[in-house]
Amino acid sequence: KNQVEQSPQSLIILEGKNCTLQCNYTVSPFSNLRWYKQDTGRGPVSLTIMTFSENTKSNGRYTATLDADTKQSSLHITASQLSDSASYICVVSGTGTYKYIFGTGTRLKVLA
Amino acid sequence: DADVTQTPRNRITKTGKRIMLECSQTKGHDRMYWYRQDPGLGLRLIYYSFDVKDINKGEISDGYSVSRQAQAKFSLSLESAIPNQTALYFCAASGGRYNEQFFGPGTRLTVL
């Protein structure tokens, strides 16, 4: 069964600190992996998209990594800001399919 | 202006009522989707459409119907709302090189 699992479920950090969110998946054959940021009550917004051949991709203070062999991805947030408080969702899609498999997300709270 | 818009943003209705949620997009993408989000669960696909004449059921289509009125418009109907359809509903449009999904702001639906 195609699944996407994220950890931790929730995380609290102090402003200015770094953090890393994890995503493990079993989707096969793999096409691409996306990280989304979802503010409370808003729609998800794309942060990064990575294909099979990409190991890392950055978007400002967000850096995503992908290990297609172990089927793991991480999202690293550097120098966190209060505005980073949100849910971060990992989404994986398979080759030749319309389907996007969504993780349940990691809820991040950044405290002043 | 937002690329994907949804109306209404919030709706409270009673069991047995018919309700329609509307979605419009200005991205010019052919593919559109309806998802629901419940606490602790990933987004789940209700229906998707690859063009005006192509509509398909997702993983949780029972109790829902859709209409693709035009490339830019995709509406979701609950023929007879029930309380377990209380959720946050998202519309998305996708296209481009990675078939990236762009989400609307969501509709919070409460069925009493």
Side-chain angles (χ1 to χ4, degrees):
Chain A
K1 182 180 178 183
N2 290 327
Q3 288 186 313
V4 175
E5 295 184 351
Q6 294 186 241
S7 62
Q9 281 190 323
S10 62
L11 183 62
I12 300 174
I13 61 173
L14 293 176
E15 187 178 16
K17 298 296 186 182
N18 304 335
C19 67
T20 300
L21 314 180
Q22 301 290 341
C23 173
N24 296 336
Y25 63 92
T26 60
V27 179
S28 182
F30 171 85
S31 176
N32 57 67
L33 183 146
R34 309 143 192 262
W35 282 94
Y36 284 88
K37 178 186 179 186
Q38 184 179 19
D39 293 311
T40 301
R42 312 271 308 258
V45 175
S46 179
L47 294 174
T48 64
I49 299 176
M50 287 186 293
T51 62
F52 182 87
S53 60
E54 296 175 296
N55 305 101
T56 185
K57 186 167 280 189
S58 292
N59 178 359
R61 294 179 296 103
Y62 300 102
T63 299
T65 64
L66 173 65
D67 185 334
D69 291 331
T70 62
K71 298 185 178 180
Q72 296 179 324
S73 176
S74 64
L75 181 69
H76 185 75
I77 303 175
T78 303
S80 60
Q81 300 176 357
L82 298 178
S83 59
D84 292 331
S85 295
S87 288
Y88 292 84
I89 302 172
C90 176
V91 185
V92 180
S93 62
T95 302
T97 176
Y98 66 88
K99 289 185 178 179
Y100 303 84
I101 310 300
F102 288 78
T104 56
T106 292
R107 186 178 297 276
L108 174 66
K109 188 170 182 61
V110 181
L111 300 178
Chain B
D1 287 342
D3 296 322
V4 182
T5 57
Q6 294 182 233
T7 57
R9 294 295 313 280
N10 288 282
R11 181 70 182 267
I12 299 174
T13 191
K14 294 183 178 180
T15 297
K17 295 292 188 182
R18 183 179 188 276
I19 185 167
M20 178 181 287
L21 310 182
E22 299 191 4
C23 174
S24 294
Q25 54 116 349
T26 58
K27 301 290 290 184
H29 292 325
D30 287 326
R31 300 183 178 194
M32 297 188 73
Y33 310 77
W34 275 104
Y35 292 92
R36 67 177 278 175
Q37 187 176 41
D38 297 279
L41 297 178
L43 273 73
R44 292 182 292 166
L45 183 64
I46 305 173
Y47 270 94
Y48 65 101
S49 170
F50 282 176
D51 64 39
V52 174
K53 297 182 179 179
D54 179 61
I55 293 177
N56 304 278
K57 293 182 177 180
E59 56 186 304
I60 55 164
S61 59
D62 287 348
Y64 302 95
S65 62
V66 291
S67 174
R68 185 82 184 265
Q69 300 95 324
Q71 185 202 38
K73 296 184 181 296
F74 192 35
S75 60
L76 176 72
S77 294
L78 286 68
E79 298 301 326
S80 179
I82 55 177
N84 77 0
Q85 291 177 314
T86 293
L88 193 54
Y89 290 84
F90 288 102
C91 174
S94 73
R97 179 182 176 189
Y98 296 114
N99 203 28
E100 181 177 1
Q101 285 189 313
F102 298 89
F103 287 86
T107 295
R108 184 169 296 281
L109 175 66
T110 302
V111 183
L112 301 177

